[in-house]
Structures are given as C-alpha cells and as structure tokens.
Amino acid sequence: AQSVTQPDIHITVSEGASLELRCNYSYGATPYLFWYVQSPGQGLQLLLKYFSGDTLVQGIKGFEAEFKRSQSSFNLRKPSVHWSDAAEYFCAVAGFQKLVFGTGTRLLVSP
Amino acid sequence: DTEVTQTPKHLVMGMTNKKSLKCEQHMGHRAMYWYKQKAKKPPELMFVYSYEKLSINESVPSRFSPECPNSSLLNLHLHALQPEDSALYLCASSQVNILAGGSSYNEQFFGPGTRLTVL
C-alpha cells in the first residue's frame, strides 16, 4: 500500500530565507506525487505535481520540488520565503482512485 | 471555471437535526470526493463518486449519506451526528484517469470546505 511520510511536524523559517520541506513516499510502481498547501480554515490548493519526465518540477508561488527515486523523496523547496507562505503543507501520492496524504508540515515564518 | 464551491461555509447542528452539505463544480470532472479533516490532521477520504456512481466508501458510518444527483453536484446528507463528527468537510473533484493496474493520477481540485459543529 502507498504511504507518505513528512518527518517534520512544523518548521520555522525567517522571511527571505530558503525553505525545504521533506517528503518520503512508499509505492511499488512509478509514483504520481503532489504538494498541496492549506491556509487556516481553507481548502487545499495544488502547488505542483510530478507524473513523469523532468525530475525537477516547477509550481505556483515560486515553489519547486525534486523527485529522487533512489531516495523515495519528493522534497519541496522555495529560495526565498514570504510571510504569506505560512500555512500547512501536505505531500500526497496517488493511489487507486484516491490520494494518500502525509501528515503535513506546518510552516511558520518569522519576521 | 476552475472552482469547486461548497455551501454552507459554516454549519452548527444538534445531534437530532438533519442537514445537508452541497458541493458543485463545472470543470467537467467525473470524479467527486468527500473528505473529513480534523484540526492539525490531513484530510481523510470518506467517499468517491465516479461517473455519478459511488465507487469508494471508506467504512463511513451510515449517519453520513452521500448523493450525486448529476455530474456537477455532490451532496452529503447528515443525520443524528455526534459531537466527534465536528470537523472541516472538504469536497474535491478530478478527471477520471485510470491507468493499467488501477492506479490513477487524479489531480484533485478542492473546495474551501464546510466547517461543521455538532452540539
């Protein structure tokens, strides 16, 4: 069965600093991977996705993620964090007719 | 139109009430989903509809009753809920892309959710 691990429950980053959120997946075949962001009390917004091809994928809001099959990872990065990036971030892998989510990482941005 | 809309935004109900949550999308998606999300947790899948037919029920109690009247609309009927059912209820929709072996790379579009409080 598919599973996703986000090892960091929360991360604090200074505004303007770089960010990396970790995601590890378990899946027998080629995974289809997603990063979603959720602001408090809101729905989830897709940041980016990986289906195949180039292992470095670009998303919205300046985010990117790199798929590394050898490490079963799909880490999310941003070179310079803005205060508005403070939110909950979920990594997910596609399973049979559904998404399997990680437990999420809460990003806090300090001034 | 790339939006999934949900009504109401907030709902407070007693344990004996009957209420319904509504979800609508006009993206031509033929898969629609209900999720339940408790605070500080990821969304938990409840139901999946594919081509207006229920395809997945994640062992959800019968006090939750989904309905998909047409390809754009998804309802969740609530009856005799418990306080522990208080949560954010999210609707999502996606294309139906079934690959060989049954996996699907369904990029899901989420609505803003309904915040449900059961007293």
Side-chain angles (χ1 to χ4, degrees), chain A residues 1-4 91-96 98-102, chain B residues 35 43:
Chain A
Q2 305 91 349
S3 67
V4 175
C91 182
V93 63
F96 181 65
K98 60 183 176 181
L99 290 174
V100 177
F101 286 94
Chain B
Y35 289 86

Side-chain angles (χ1 to χ4, degrees), chain B residues 10-21 63-64 76-83 85-86 89 114-119:
Chain B
H10 302 275
L11 178 61
V12 180
M13 59 187 290
M15 290 189 285
T16 58
N17 292 159
K18 284 185 181 180
K19 297 287 184 183
S20 296
L21 309 184
R63 57 185 183 268
F64 295 91
L76 186 63
H77 304 297
L78 314 172
H79 174 55
L81 295 193
Q82 304 296 309
D85 296 322
S86 299
Y89 287 83
T114 294
R115 174 71 60 189
L116 175 66
T117 302
V118 182
L119 301 176

Side-chain angles (χ1 to χ4, degrees), chain A residues 18-57:
Chain A
S18 63
L19 168 71
E20 182 168 28
L21 302 182
R22 296 183 291 166
C23 171
N24 293 96
Y25 66 89
S26 173
Y27 191 68
T30 301
Y32 298 95
L33 297 159
F34 307 84
W35 274 100
Y36 283 88
V37 62
Q38 185 178 33
S39 297
Q42 300 297 311
L44 278 70
Q45 182 181 23
L46 181 68
L47 287 174
L48 47 78
K49 62 193 179 194
Y50 172 76
F51 289 167
S52 64
D54 194 346
T55 56
L56 185 63
V57 293

Side-chain angles (χ1 to χ4, degrees), chain A residues 2 27 32 34 36 38 40-46 49 51 88 90 94-99 101-104 106, chain B residues 33 35 37 40-43 45 48 50 55-56 58 88 90 98-99 102-108 110-112 115:
Chain A
Q2 305 91 349
Y27 191 68
Y32 298 95
F34 307 84
Y36 283 88
Q38 185 178 33
Q42 300 297 311
L44 278 70
Q45 182 181 23
L46 181 68
K49 62 193 179 194
F51 289 167
E88 188 84 22
F90 293 100
F96 181 65
Q97 293 190 58
K98 60 183 176 181
L99 290 174
F101 286 94
T103 50
R106 175 158 296 278
Chain B
Y33 311 78
Y35 289 86
Q37 187 180 26
K40 302 186 190 304
K41 297 290 187 184
L45 183 66
V48 179
S50 182
S55 60
I56 293 180
E58 294 283 277
L88 181 69
L90 295 164
I98 303 297
L99 305 177
S103 66
S104 65
Y105 50 98
N106 47 2
E107 170 187 344
Q108 294 183 21
F110 283 81
R115 174 71 60 189

Side-chain angles (χ1 to χ4, degrees), chain B residues 19-81:
Chain B
K19 297 287 184 183
S20 296
L21 309 184
K22 179 181 171 182
C23 172
E24 197 162 6
Q25 57 88 15
H26 296 285
M27 293 179 277
H29 292 164
R30 301 303 297 276
M32 295 186 77
Y33 311 78
W34 280 116
Y35 289 86
K36 173 183 176 181
Q37 187 180 26
K38 302 285 270 185
K40 302 186 190 304
K41 297 290 187 184
E44 298 174 30
L45 183 66
M46 300 174 72
F47 302 104
V48 179
Y49 273 82
S50 182
Y51 296 104
E52 295 86 68
K53 293 199 182 324
L54 184 65
S55 60
I56 293 180
N57 176 341
E58 294 283 277
S59 303
V60 178
S62 59
R63 57 185 183 268
F64 295 91
S65 175
E67 179 196 20
C68 190
N70 58 58
S71 60
S72 300
L73 195 56
L74 184 67
N75 298 321
L76 186 63
H77 304 297
L78 314 172
H79 174 55
L81 295 193

